[in-house]
Amino acid sequence: MRTADLFDTEDPQRAALAAGAVLLRGFALPVAQGLHAALHAILAQAPLRHMCTRGGFRMSVAMSNCGEWGWVSDRTGYRYTGLDPQTRHPWPGLPACFAELAQHAAAAAGYAGFEPNACLINRYAPGARLTLHQDRNESDLAHPIVSVSLGLPAVFQFGGTSRAQRTQRIPLRHGDVAVWGGASRLAYHGVLPLKDGAHPLTGPCRLNLTLRRACG
Ligand code: MD6
Ligand code: FE
């Protein structure tokens, strides 16, 4: 598919990535500063940390969470927890501005009634990357995932439901929101190593928020 064919001619801001997956270009721009300010408060309570994979590798992306549930990884595997294993406190609450953005983006992508209860926060410094993976720790895969990009641009890899299928490369920029569900919910995806740069809001990094309905 040519890149130009991805764009809906009715709305040039909307790109269909695949069945069930929609990219809403710049959708979060009007609220980006508010999101960033809320993030600052969250990360003071639940600091970013480099988790380990089950295989024992330190992840290059630094992570934290807010909401009822937080995604964690360690030598025993991947799961959602109600407590931050580092502080032993509940994860900070999901700010209203996060939930509202996710609900509006989901509805714009055709997933009305999305009520997130978990938000994974990813911070990429230059060189950080996320290898191809599926998001499959959520109990009900009928709910979509809403992914918000802030700061430096990145290249998103997006494949099929088997690891062997070829991937497309999609640039994700500050303010872009991807909504991901239906036939794409178990698609393999990843992020290529972040390039050096500086962004007026975030400085030398990219921040990604993925809002989910993790459990219940
Ligand atoms: C990122 N995102 O963009 C990593 N997962 O930094 C993800 O892994 C992701 O963007 C599921 C759905 C959307 C995503
Ligand atoms: Fe993911």
Side-chain angles (χ1 to χ4, degrees), residues 122 124 130 133 135 145 147 156 180 189 191 206 208 210 212:
N122 290 156
Y124 297 73
L130 201 58
H133 66 278
D135 287 27
I145 292 180
S147 167
F156 198 55
W180 191 280
H189 58 281
V191 178
R206 169 176 186 259
N208 173 258
T210 49
R212 302 134 188 264

Side-chain angles (χ1 to χ4, degrees), residues 12 47 61 80 84 92 102 117 121 134 157 166 191 204 206:
V61 178
Y80 282 96
D84 178 344
N117 62 5
I121 301 160
Q134 292 172 297
Q157 282 180 296
R166 59 169 304 227
V191 178
R206 169 176 186 259

Side-chain angles (χ1 to χ4, degrees), residues 17 20-25 27-28 31 35 66 80 94 97-122 135 138 140-150 156 172 175-182 184-185 189 206-214:
L17 301 180
V22 178
L23 177 57
L24 304 167
R25 291 261 180 228
F27 195 85
V31 294
L35 298 176
C66 61
Y80 282 96
L94 192 68
C97 60
F98 284 30
E100 282 162 16
L101 171 65
Q103 280 155 8
H104 282 114
Y111 299 99
F114 178 54
E115 289 190 34
N117 62 5
C119 176
L120 172 63
I121 301 160
N122 290 156
D135 287 27
E138 299 73 28
D140 183 352
L141 299 176
H143 299 294
I145 292 180
V146 174
S147 167
V148 182
S149 292
L150 296 174
F156 198 55
L172 292 180
D176 288 350
V177 178
V179 184
W180 191 280
S184 289
R185 185 61 181 73
H189 58 281
R206 169 176 186 259
L207 294 165
N208 173 258
L209 311 175
T210 49
L211 290 121
R212 302 134 188 264
R213 185 137 192 109

Side-chain angles (χ1 to χ4, degrees), residues 165-177:
Q165 273 168 274
R166 59 169 304 227
T167 58
Q168 10 170 2
R169 291 179 174 197
I170 296 136
L172 292 180
R173 303 184 200 104
H174 177 66
D176 288 350
V177 178

